[in-house]
């Protein structure tokens, strides 16, 4: 792989919520996996050495990992941009200080303007108000914030959710994605490349809480190595990655599914993608592509 610029760091499988569509199948019973803080710091160091520009801490719910502040500090100290994708159900005073650092931004998911509908999806009583309150608090603190609305179908109040977010002050960074058939999002068949955008491994990879490396957070059935076994650079240039890249290239030989690839599945797809990439045509599926309510 050449020109790696973005990495997802899935630091935990723990989450307060049990969202019906969670591609990582996270929940209260999840764990931090086999990766210890020293392992994550090594990955961040390696990422910086390889020229990565941005890392995103995901989960599960990354704020439940005790070492998140240290890991964010490590990344920022190495000159990396950082995004924390959180459900924003609970943010401690110390974490607000962490998020307010230059070079750090937040992202979250939102499902409906109606608390009942939102909480039927998250399976978290009170989660709608808590997330909404913390969206307001992030804006009050001038912390850069993106919000993704995931459309699970069945008449979900997606447009109303977007309107409510705009009324709260979320300006321009609300994107809509469809349900992805991965993890708890599977409805009929096993996950396959039809759930991918075509941008996997194009300048981006994901590292899981057990050390596994995937071409992206959605291609979880395509591990290409483990950072607890081999250095990241060897994994990126190894046979498994090369073979997987070839499979994906053949699958998407006619071009990416969405026109904003390769920036579709990460926070780098911003105003430069507009107006061609609007939430109406699902060009920027950040709500599910980068996890919060897994």
């Amino acid at each position: 792989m050449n020109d790696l610029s973005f990495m997802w760091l899935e630091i935990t499988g723990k989450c307060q919520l049990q969202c019906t569509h969670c591609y990582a199948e996270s929940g209260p019973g999840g764990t931090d996996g086999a990766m210890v803080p020293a392992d994550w710091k090594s990955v961040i160091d390696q990422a910086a050495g390889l020229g990565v520009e941005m890392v995103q801490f995901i989960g599960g719910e990354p704020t439940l990992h005790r070492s998140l502040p240290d890991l964010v500090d490590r990344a920022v100290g190495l000159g990396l941009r950082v995004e924390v994708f959180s459900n924003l159900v609970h943010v401690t005073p110390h974490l607000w200080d962490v998020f307010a650092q230059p070079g750090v931004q937040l992202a979250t998911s939102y499902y409906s303007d109606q608390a009942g509908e939102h909480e039927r999806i998250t399976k978290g009583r009170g989660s709608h108000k808590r997330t909404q309150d913390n969206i307001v608090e992030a804006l009050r603190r001038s912390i850069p914030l993106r919000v993704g609305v995931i459309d699970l179908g069945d008449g979900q109040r997606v447009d109303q959710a977007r309107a409510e977010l705009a009324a709260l002050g979320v300006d321009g960074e609300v994107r809509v994605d469809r349900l992805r058939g991965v993890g708890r999002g599977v409805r009929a068949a096993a996950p396959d490349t039809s759930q991918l955008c075509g941008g996997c491994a194009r300048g981006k990879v994901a590292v899981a809480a057990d050390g596994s490396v995937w071409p992206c957070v959605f291609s979880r059935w395509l591990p290409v190595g483990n950072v607890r076994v081999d250095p990241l650079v060897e994994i990126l240039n190894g046979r498994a990655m090369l073979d997987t890249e070839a499979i994906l290239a053949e699958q998407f030989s006619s071009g990416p599914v969405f026109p904003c690839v390769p920036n579709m599945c990460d926070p780098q797809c911003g105003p430069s993608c507009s107006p061609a990439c609007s939430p109406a045509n699902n060009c920027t599926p950040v709500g599910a592509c980068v996890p919060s309510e897994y």
Side-chain angles (χ1 to χ4, degrees):
M1 172 186 284
N2 296 318
D3 301 322
L4 180 65
S5 62
F6 176 82
M7 290 180 64
W8 291 276
L9 305 180
E10 188 173 294
I11 60 176
T12 185
K14 292 186 291 188
C15 187
Q16 308 98 322
L17 308 178
Q18 300 184 78
C19 295
T20 58
H21 61 290
C22 177
Y23 65 80
E25 300 186 79
S26 302
T31 73
D32 289 344
M35 292 281 282
V36 298
D39 293 326
W40 285 116
K41 289 177 181 178
S42 175
V43 168
I44 293 168
D45 292 350
Q46 292 176 65
L50 290 169
V52 169
E53 298 171 359
M54 186 174 195
V55 294
Q56 185 189 67
F57 293 99
I58 60 176
E61 171 50 39
T63 63
L64 295 180
H65 196 293
R66 293 183 179 181
S67 293
L68 178 63
D70 290 340
L71 298 178
V72 170
D73 288 348
R74 184 75 160 224
V76 170
L78 290 168
L80 301 176
R81 293 164 54 213
V82 170
E83 182 170 85
V84 178
F85 207 115
S86 167
N87 58 37
L88 293 183
V89 166
H90 179 69
V91 182
T92 65
H94 178 50
L95 281 174
W96 280 124
D97 292 339
V98 171
F99 300 156
Q101 296 179 83
V104 180
Q105 63 193 58
L106 282 173
T108 194
S109 293
Y110 204 72
Y111 301 98
S112 177
D113 62 320
Q114 294 185 345
E117 182 173 56
H118 181 100
E119 291 165 16
R120 280 195 295 275
I121 293 169
T122 66
K123 297 192 179 298
R125 185 175 181 180
S127 60
H128 182 265
K129 186 176 189 318
R130 292 174 184 172
T131 296
Q132 184 182 96
D133 286 349
N134 283 321
I135 286 173
V136 171
E137 181 63 13
L139 296 173
R140 186 188 73 79
R141 291 173 178 260
S142 299
I143 298 172
L145 173 70
R146 297 185 306 108
V147 183
V149 179
I150 307 170
D151 186 355
L152 278 64
D154 300 323
Q156 182 182 332
R157 293 171 60 87
V158 169
D159 290 340
Q160 294 88 341
R162 291 181 61 208
E164 181 173 56
L165 289 164
L168 291 173
V170 180
D171 183 19
E173 284 288 346
V174 178
R175 305 168 185 179
V176 177
D177 186 26
R178 62 185 172 88
L179 171 70
R180 300 303 183 102
V182 181
R184 286 199 290 266
V186 173
R187 293 294 182 266
D192 57 35
T193 55
S194 68
Q195 302 305 311
L196 306 178
C197 70
C200 298
R202 297 186 182 184
K204 58 176 72 70
V205 293
V207 180
D210 66 356
S212 295
V213 178
W214 307 310
C216 85
V217 289
F218 278 157
S219 57
R220 310 171 77 83
W221 69 94
L222 296 172
V224 295
N226 191 296
V227 294
R228 299 179 66 242
V229 178
D230 297 306
L232 185 58
V233 66
E234 292 185 9
I235 295 171
L236 298 179
N237 294 292
R239 174 51 55 189
M241 174 63 87
L242 294 174
D243 289 347
T244 300
E245 287 180 316
I247 292 170
L248 293 172
E250 181 179 2
Q251 179 69 30
F252 295 100
S253 59
S254 60
V257 175
F258 301 98
C260 261
V261 173
N263 290 330
M264 168 182 158
C265 289
D266 63 61
Q268 302 172 74
C269 188
S272 62
C273 289
S274 300
C277 296
S278 64
N281 63 20
N282 282 337
C283 178
T284 51
V286 188
C289 200
V290 193
S292 165
E293 322 295 40
Y294 325 104

